[in-house]
Amino acid sequence: MEHEKYMALALEQAKKAKEIGEIPIGCVIVYKQNVIGRGFNTRMRDNNALGHAEITAINEACSALGDWRLEDCTLYVTVEPCPMCAGAVLQARVPRVVYGVPNKKAGCVGSLYNLLDDDRFNHRAEVISGVMAQECADIMKSFFKDFRKRDKMGYIFDFDGTIANSTYLWKKVDRDFFAKRKMEMPPEYADKISTMSFYEGAVFTKTAYNIEETVEEIMQEWHKGAVREYEKNVTLKPNVVEYIRFLKRKNRKVGLATASNPEFYLPVLKKYAITECFDAFADGTLGLPNKESPDIYLKCAEMMGVEPKNCTVYEDIVQGLKSAKKAGMLAVGVSDGRCEEKEKAVEAASDRYITDFSQELEMLLKKK
């Protein structure tokens, strides 16, 4: 009965993981009938590969004892430890591990291998399995059942002006481009090329304004100036990082649909450590029509494996919002601080309109 008592406490930790959208694995470490270490999965929340239940519990137990050796302790965990956690058990000299259900894909305490029973190491540990196995399995099954349901929901983000404070950038590149040729940038120019791909914009610019350079040379000039600006100065909008990370913790699919190229947007996403939150990148390298067509949103949904009707699109331009609706998606207009007239047009074209991504985060939290 003693093992069941402490495994029940590990299950309480697993429930905490489930509540924040993490795989529900919990762990406690017991020393002389006292719990001195607790932990649950926080890998997605903290964006940290070391955020496993056992690692957290071992850290806490070592602090409690003031010693890296946990020689008189028992570790209880709801799911068989992975190789990293089994290795941590060896390093901490834990003499006994009790777990609930096997981990057939990554378990290294019996399933794939038993790191704790290899006499080539200078420490071995007793392993007891199957304690409260049904309860440990049930919480995992419940989580992955919900996971599959949530997996059908997709969230597609435009980049420039929607999640990135970069609307100024292309105007700067354009102004510099025309200034270099001693020309005034036409007032309608930015709006005309806003939905075009990089190549389409270069063709239009050369043709409409009699530019001497080739299309390739125009693109190279734009590219050099833009890359420098994206890498050094472009920031993401307030609360969008928190919102995207929340979506991933809830196992939603997240995609980027942009006419921009990876060398522009990736440095910004990497700077904010959210690149891995995206499941799909439908960008200018695919050669899709501009955003007056719904093709880029449909392609992004396909790449995510989500039905268009289950997708939400975030856009800051009217054409994009209209195309998202044509694709059968929910269209959310995002303010990018333009003139009042343009903001009203974006709002009118939207199914929903936001000025800050905290509004979307709050809405999802209320639905919990």
Side-chain angles (χ1 to χ4, degrees):
M1 291 297 293
E2 184 178 72
H3 289 328
E4 284 78 4
K5 170 186 173 181
Y6 295 118
M7 187 60 75
L9 296 178
L11 276 164
E12 290 299 317
Q13 294 296 308
K15 290 175 184 176
K16 292 180 181 180
K18 185 180 179 183
E19 287 171 2
I20 62 170
E22 297 275 356
I23 295 176
I25 298 176
C27 177
V28 297
I29 295 176
V30 178
Y31 174 72
K32 295 183 178 180
Q33 299 185 322
N34 293 311
V35 176
I36 60 168
R38 297 171 178 81
F40 57 89
N41 273 1
T42 59
R43 183 174 58 180
M44 287 298 299
R45 186 193 70 184
D46 297 341
N47 201 28
N48 187 339
L50 303 181
H52 287 209
E54 299 97 317
I55 301 297
T56 300
I58 287 171
N59 282 332
E60 189 174 298
C62 289
S63 295
L65 293 181
D67 194 346
W68 63 269
R69 302 174 187 84
L70 302 178
E71 292 177 337
D72 296 316
C73 298
T74 301
L75 183 147
Y76 293 85
V77 62
T78 55
V79 176
E80 179 186 358
C82 70
M84 176 178 71
C85 295
V89 166
L90 289 175
Q91 291 296 322
R93 306 295 192 265
V94 177
R96 184 181 303 105
V97 170
V98 180
Y99 71 83
V101 291
N103 181 349
K104 295 181 180 179
K105 291 184 177 181
C108 280
V109 185
S111 290
L112 300 182
Y113 191 74
N114 192 347
L115 287 172
L116 305 186
D117 190 29
D118 188 326
D119 57 14
R120 291 174 295 179
F121 292 121
N122 62 359
H123 177 75
R124 297 166 76 181
E126 176 189 2
V127 176
I128 300 172
S129 62
V131 175
M132 296 187 71
Q134 188 62 54
E135 292 86 346
C136 294
D138 286 346
I139 192 171
M140 293 289 282
K141 289 177 182 177
S142 173
F143 173 82
F144 283 107
K145 181 179 179 180
D146 291 342
F147 178 95
R148 284 187 288 271
K149 289 180 180 178
R150 291 194 296 267
D151 220 18
K152 297 178 182 178
M153 303 300 296
Y155 294 77
I156 299 173
F157 296 85
D158 170 53
F159 188 71
D160 291 301
T162 298
I163 66 172
N165 292 308
S166 55
T167 51
Y168 81 91
L169 185 149
W170 286 107
K171 290 180 181 177
K172 180 180 184 301
V173 171
D174 294 339
R175 282 196 299 268
D176 291 346
F177 177 84
F178 282 103
K180 183 178 178 181
R181 290 156 180 81
K182 297 182 171 27
M183 298 168 62
E184 288 287 334
M185 188 177 83
E188 74 283 0
Y189 179 74
D191 286 338
K192 284 184 177 179
I193 67 168
S194 64
T195 63
M196 297 181 186
S197 69
F198 209 53
Y199 177 77
E200 289 172 330
V203 171
F204 169 78
T205 301
K206 176 175 174 58
T207 304
Y209 303 103
N210 298 314
I211 304 300
E212 291 183 1
E213 285 80 3
T214 66
V215 169
E216 288 72 22
E217 289 170 338
I218 291 171
M219 290 194 295
Q220 287 173 6
E221 185 175 334
W222 286 349
H223 183 277
K224 185 176 179 180
V227 166
R228 186 187 310 113
E229 190 67 21
Y230 275 111
E231 289 178 345
K232 291 184 177 180
N233 299 320
V234 170
T235 61
L236 292 184
K237 289 191 173 182
N239 300 302
V240 71
V241 171
E242 292 79 2
Y243 180 51
I244 289 172
R245 285 179 177 165
F246 178 83
L247 292 175
K248 290 310 298 179
R249 288 199 301 271
K250 292 301 178 181
N251 303 306
R252 271 42 169 201
K253 292 291 186 181
V254 178
L256 194 74
T258 175
S260 186
N261 287 353
E263 56 266 37
F264 300 140
Y265 64 76
L266 280 180
V268 186
L269 299 183
K270 288 178 180 177
K271 182 165 59 176
Y272 286 87
I274 58 169
T275 311
E276 292 184 358
C277 291
F278 287 86
D279 300 286
F281 296 99
D283 57 32
T285 64
L286 299 180
L288 296 169
N290 63 47
K291 287 188 174 180
E292 291 181 353
S293 162
D295 288 8
I296 193 167
Y297 307 110
L298 292 169
K299 182 62 176 178
C300 194
E302 178 189 335
M303 293 167 75
M304 294 190 299
V306 180
E307 291 291 327
K309 66 181 179 180
N310 292 329
C311 289
T312 298
V313 172
Y314 294 93
E315 267 287 0
D316 69 315
I317 60 172
V318 170
Q319 297 94 326
L321 292 163
K322 288 181 177 179
S323 292
K325 287 183 178 182
K326 285 181 184 177
M329 302 175 181
L330 182 73
V332 179
V334 180
S335 170
D336 71 354
R338 294 170 295 193
C339 69
E340 184 177 353
E341 182 180 349
K342 289 183 177 178
E343 289 297 302
K344 285 183 178 179
V346 168
E347 184 173 4
S350 308
D351 292 314
R352 188 167 68 244
Y353 178 75
I354 63 172
T355 57
D356 191 291
F357 280 96
S358 63
Q359 295 167 250
E360 294 295 279
L361 186 57
E362 289 169 7
M363 183 178 68
L364 286 185
L365 286 171
K366 287 178 181 177
K367 288 182 179 180
K368 285 181 65 179

